Amino acid sequence: PEAFEDKVRRASGTVYVDFAIQALVAGDLAHVPALARLGAVSFELFLADVPPPLLAGDNRAVLEALERIAAIGGVAGMTCGDDAIIQARLARLHAAGDKSPRAFARSRPPIAEALGVARAGLLAAEARARVHFRQISCRESITMLAALRRMHPGISAETTPHNLLLTEDE
């Protein structure tokens, strides 16, 4: 809560647009109610693509986080992936000498994102939590989201312009 208050304080009076701050959820869930009271617009859970201390954790930890967020009427912002697949692919590419920018895309196959979406969506349904999936980038994830929405209406998703407009070559 102190770090959240500091961010609000630093931004207040210095920005020229409306803004909102999201709160990262990793590890200690005791702060979720306090962060909600301070105005966190969502509670971010990362299943991949961040350093290990910032990952949401195993299924038990993600379910508990979603239950806590649901209990306060909050929204979980979910960045999905299967970190084990991503890290293994990245290690294989780097071992083969490929450290190019393209290795980033090659290390994140559609199955990694779709597995993360499936995992998070099933856990959200169990917790009856509202979840907003961030940065969806592949057809497999959209197919999974459509199936999950039939199970649990509290699911929404977004993509980003670069996922819609750019190719790996660009």
Side-chain angles (χ1 to χ4, degrees), residues 32-44:
V32 169
L35 290 165
R37 285 190 299 275
L38 290 170
V41 294
S42 68
F43 297 87
E44 301 302 301

Side-chain angles (χ1 to χ4, degrees), residues 112-123:
E113 182 180 285
L115 282 170
V117 167
R119 172 185 174 206
L122 290 170
L123 292 169

Side-chain angles (χ1 to χ4, degrees), residues 60-75:
R60 179 207 51 80
V62 174
L63 181 60
E64 184 179 353
L66 290 170
E67 288 170 342
R68 295 240 188 150
I69 293 165
I72 60 158
V75 175

